[in-house]
Amino acid sequence: MKERVLVGEMSEIGRLVLLGAPLGNPADASTRLGEVLSTADVVAAEDTRRLSRLARDLDVTIPGRVVSYFEGNEERRTPELVEVLTAGHLVALVTDGGMPSVSDPGYRLVRAALDAGIPVTAAPGPSAVTTALALSGLPCDRFCFEGFLPRSRGARRARLRALVTEERTLVLFEAPHRVAAALADLADTFGVDRPAALCRELTKTYEEVLRRPLGDLARWAAEGDPRGEITLVVAGAPATPPARPDDDALRALVAEREAAGRTRRDAVTDVATDHGLRRRDVYAVVHQQQ
């Protein structure tokens, strides 16, 4: 008999709450996560067994119905959960760690709920992305999250070639059995000296953060047996200096600033600074035809 998630009818529209779950240490769970679990009519979990362990660790009783919601049944279960929400019930969505939808099940349900006019909110929690980024020691004022790289070598290398000039710090997820191949391709594409960090088992007993160039990390992974959940953080490409204008363009830029009221000295300095050139070189170009 097909499992259904419907519960009793209610008149008001329901609400979907995305729960940010601990990455490993249950003490990182928010008080609000426990409150939502203890009041939701339905809790949709990526792994119902892991949810049960989390509830025990938090000493939380889940009175609502618990159903599975993972990659293999998302398509089928989403309309059932939307039906529950439309009937006026509170549905909580929780994955194995971090925020639903971020390289985890959830986006399909969020989109379907919004399309049905159902309010969607979140009880924020731990994130492997920002945790690894902060621990990496790499610049984190601007970053780019790429999720999981493609599994096949050709598609993976094509994705990396498209990212080779990305100047923001990159954050990637990778499975332990593919991390050696991924790091080898990263080193080949980005260069063996590109700074990076491999973050493994974040917040768990055997947490490990290796901050090394890509070449060293690739060798480490090839020689060892990486295990656990892995997040890779890779420094962005060095900023590309602006292209040098030709001599005529340089003279025109200086003349433009002089016409705007800048002195010759200041105009030359401005142009040199804008284009990463030495002031004396710009000055020489300006005076070539005088």
Side-chain angles (χ1 to χ4, degrees), residues 22-277:
L23 304 178
N25 190 331
D28 294 334
S30 70
T31 300
R32 188 170 168 219
L33 179 143
E35 291 173 350
V36 174
L37 288 178
S38 65
T39 57
D41 298 300
V42 175
V43 179
E46 183 178 10
D47 186 329
T48 57
R49 291 168 300 180
R50 291 188 65 163
L51 173 63
S52 295
R53 289 197 297 271
L54 177 62
R56 288 197 301 271
D57 289 336
L58 301 179
D59 194 24
V60 169
T61 299
I62 302 177
R65 185 168 184 187
V66 176
V67 299
S68 63
Y69 188 82
F70 57 96
E71 185 178 2
N73 72 357
E74 272 188 284
E75 186 172 1
R76 170 176 60 85
R77 179 131 294 166
T78 293
E80 297 178 8
L81 290 171
V82 171
E83 188 176 348
V84 172
L85 289 161
T86 304
H89 297 286
L90 174 64
V91 174
L93 177 60
V94 60
T95 56
D96 292 347
M99 182 61 68
S101 292
V102 183
S103 288
D104 270 337
Y107 172 76
R108 192 190 299 266
L109 179 57
V110 170
R111 188 66 262 168
L114 293 174
D115 289 343
I118 295 164
V120 179
T121 187
S127 165
V129 176
T130 53
T131 302
L133 187 65
L135 293 177
S136 70
L138 296 171
C140 50
D141 52 335
R142 296 174 65 244
F143 69 93
C144 176
F145 175 57
E146 280 293 316
F148 285 93
L149 290 171
R151 297 184 179 187
S152 71
R153 187 168 188 263
R156 183 170 59 242
R157 290 177 72 90
R159 171 79 67 82
L160 293 176
R161 285 194 296 270
L163 294 169
V164 71
T165 59
E166 172 59 63
E167 295 179 9
R168 292 172 294 179
T169 300
L170 297 172
V171 182
L172 308 162
F173 288 162
E174 195 50 89
H177 62 281
R178 291 196 300 268
V179 71
L183 283 166
D185 287 342
L186 278 161
D188 286 345
T189 308
F190 290 1
V192 295
D193 295 325
R194 181 80 72 92
L198 183 149
C199 305
R200 190 180 71 84
E201 293 289 87
L202 290 171
T203 78
K204 300 177 184 177
T205 302
Y206 299 104
E207 175 180 290
E208 184 177 26
V209 180
L210 301 177
R211 303 173 184 87
R212 304 176 186 175
L214 281 172
D216 290 351
L217 287 177
R219 284 190 293 274
W220 174 86
E223 294 169 358
D225 183 23
R227 298 185 180 184
E229 297 186 3
I230 294 172
T231 305
L232 298 173
V233 186
V234 183
T240 303
R244 181 193 184 283
D246 61 30
D247 290 355
D248 288 340
L250 284 175
R251 284 189 283 268
L253 288 170
V254 172
E256 180 181 321
R257 282 163 174 74
E258 286 185 291
R262 300 288 283 172
T263 65
R264 169 66 59 84
R265 179 185 180 87
D266 289 343
V268 167
T269 299
D270 291 346
V271 172
T273 300
D274 289 346
H275 296 278
L277 302 172

